[in-house]
Amino acid sequence: MPWRPRTMGAALLALPLLAAVPAVAGEVPDRAGAPAAQLYVAPWGDDAWPGTEGRPFATPARAQQAVRALADGGEGGDEGASARGEVIVHLRGGTYRLDRPLDFDGTAGDSGAGGHRVVYQAYGFGTPRQERVTLSGGREVTGWEPAGGGLWRAEVGDLDTRQLYVDGRRAPRAAAREVPELHPTEAGFVTESTAPQEWERPGDVELVHTFADSYSEGRCGVASVRGDATGTEVVMDQPCHRRARDIYAELYGADNGQGLIPPTAVENDPSFLPERPGSWYLDRSEPGRHVLYLNGRPRGGVVAPVLERLVTGRGTAGEPLHDLALRGLEFTEAGWTAPSGPDGFPHIIGTWYYTGEDPTAQEAATMPAALSFSGARDLSFEGNRFTRLGASALELAGRTRDIEIRANTVEDVSGGGFHVQSADEDPAAAPRGIEVVDNWVHHAGRDYRGSWGILLNQTHDSLIAHNEVAHIPYSGIAHLNVAGDGTTTGGLRITDNLVHHTNSVLIDGGGIYGNGPQGPSFEEGALVERNVVHHADGPAATAAEYPPYALYPDDGGDMVTYRDNVLFANQASVGGVAPRGIRFEGTFLDDESAYWWEGDGEQVEFAGSTRLSPLAPRADCRARPACAAVLDGAGLLSPRR
């Protein structure tokens, strides 16, 4: 998918919410009032048992087999249950370590039937006795031995990972305390420093390039290091270095002739381990006999991700995956190792980076997610937690429609939160009827810091409402139309969200970021209404010259109405690139300037703005009933989970 950098840049239909199934363990009716077929899974169960409450299955995969048998007309679980009604799989509390993704297929009996649903949920979901259920793609690391110098080691076979979790918390990769002054060349970098010659395993080292005044942060590996007492040459992995050089020369016109700024971080060498307690390094030098090193004795459990995806779902145009719900589950400890290869991670923006088999081509790909669905309709993700993940949390691709993402929590993920996008320029393939409501998305982008909290790209008639999106190193909420055609998107509402503390690392973005035409007219375009955005305030060193914006209609933004939003304590309230038809109505903000990088903003209309006190904007808002109502109404509908 091509991306054009920097030079590119309200009456809507009400969307009905999906009904919920009564959440109790025991005999419950389905939505039509018929008894539900019920299956049970427990860590202490046995896959040879019948899946009843007293004799549950041991794995979700075995329960899925029973669900498919019901769809074929067989029986499972409670005696006499049939697939004509709701099918509920109750998972008892505990951790289920998956050896492969749970794969739902619209052609294999995983869908509901006759308007009924298949539900996988935590035991007691929605009640005070709901049990904690964790689906993990990780592997426990044991057999730790002292390695000298305060380090500990464990042999881990062929394990490969870019994340490690110690006592339930993300442990940092080993990183250099100081970054040598490296100057780009076609093959890599040169420096007068001899420090790179002290790297013990240069082929494992990774250089990070953070374009703080823009929207990209790339990563490429080192191939080799050579030098003498006068200096060092660092030869980089290809094609990553070539692609990164070309990308960033186009994006930023780097004056060094090679397109790359010097690296801002150097990671992943055993010589860096002593510099930070709790850091780790994986020695992969001997195939099949990898060794994991940790600075400090591991006193809690240590888990490394193994699976890239935990749950997948797919269907076809004729047989979509449908009427499936996942509720009250924790999805954790999935990884993503592709950036460790020679392709690296030449990041573009958000979820996109360059890859492909042709090393001379720039082919865009998207970061994976732990849960991934395409060709699906009438799905529900409710009350789940996505945490300790090595890429993004949940993605919905083309030909998905009528999907509810409600009351979930996303925290501590390497990539973004919820990503919904089409890979097809056919408007019929665009996702439709997507509802992202009452979710708490925070501390995303832990490794890939150009990630978005919530992304909707090329969607129709969709809703982002009452979410709290916070502590994101790039933009909080993004609504895009990268196809550049107003017929490929429309009918989006972004309303009553609380967005704060964004752009802490990359500042060419904002609290709520939009790009491209959002519909053929204002009536069919995007409505951004009654949101509160504060502390979109990037790195202090560059923000005064080039700040992020609370509301950011970027390159070619068109047919967007911003109404009754409250903006304060941001480095800038409103700005963007070459906006077209944009309307601001009834905005409460603590600054009055709007800045357009390209174009003079003649098609941007401002009406009814109210200036808040820059010294005490929140208190001033509280004193104004209309402003206070927006402040009180934005954010989560339910308590933080």
Side-chain angles (χ1 to χ4, degrees), residues 85-105:
E86 210 93 340
V87 180
I88 303 177
V89 178
H90 301 276
L91 284 82
R92 299 300 303 263
T95 297
Y96 299 85
R97 298 206 178 276
L98 306 179
D99 57 7
R100 62 182 183 275
L102 193 60
D103 186 12
F104 296 107
D105 190 335

Side-chain angles (χ1 to χ4, degrees), residues 25 92 113 119 180 252 370 404 406 438 475 477 497 570-571 620:
R92 299 300 303 263
V119 180
Y252 310 113
E404 181 187 39
R406 174 178 288 273
D438 192 27
S475 297
I477 295 175
N497 298 284
N570 304 290
Q571 289 189 355
D620 193 0

Side-chain angles (χ1 to χ4, degrees), residues 302-323:
V302 178
V303 177
V306 175
L307 297 183
E308 179 175 304
R309 300 189 188 273
L310 301 178
V311 180
T312 62
R314 64 186 181 275
T316 66
E319 291 187 86
L321 177 68
H322 63 90
D323 293 291

Side-chain angles (χ1 to χ4, degrees), residues 134-138 161-165 168-170 305-311 330-336 367-371 385-395 409-418 443-448:
T134 300
L135 301 184
S136 169
T161 183
R162 293 175 61 87
Q163 292 82 32
L164 191 71
Y165 301 98
R169 296 184 178 182
R170 180 182 297 252
V306 175
L307 297 183
E308 179 175 304
R309 300 189 188 273
L310 301 178
V311 180
E330 180 177 88
F331 301 100
T332 188
E333 295 155 354
W336 182 41
M367 187 185 307
L371 277 70
R385 179 180 296 274
F386 303 83
T387 184
R388 302 191 300 281
L389 300 173
S392 295
L394 169 66
E395 65 179 359
T409 298
V410 175
E411 62 178 344
D412 190 18
V413 298
S414 294
F418 303 127
H443 294 95
R446 295 293 303 273
D447 288 334
Y448 310 107

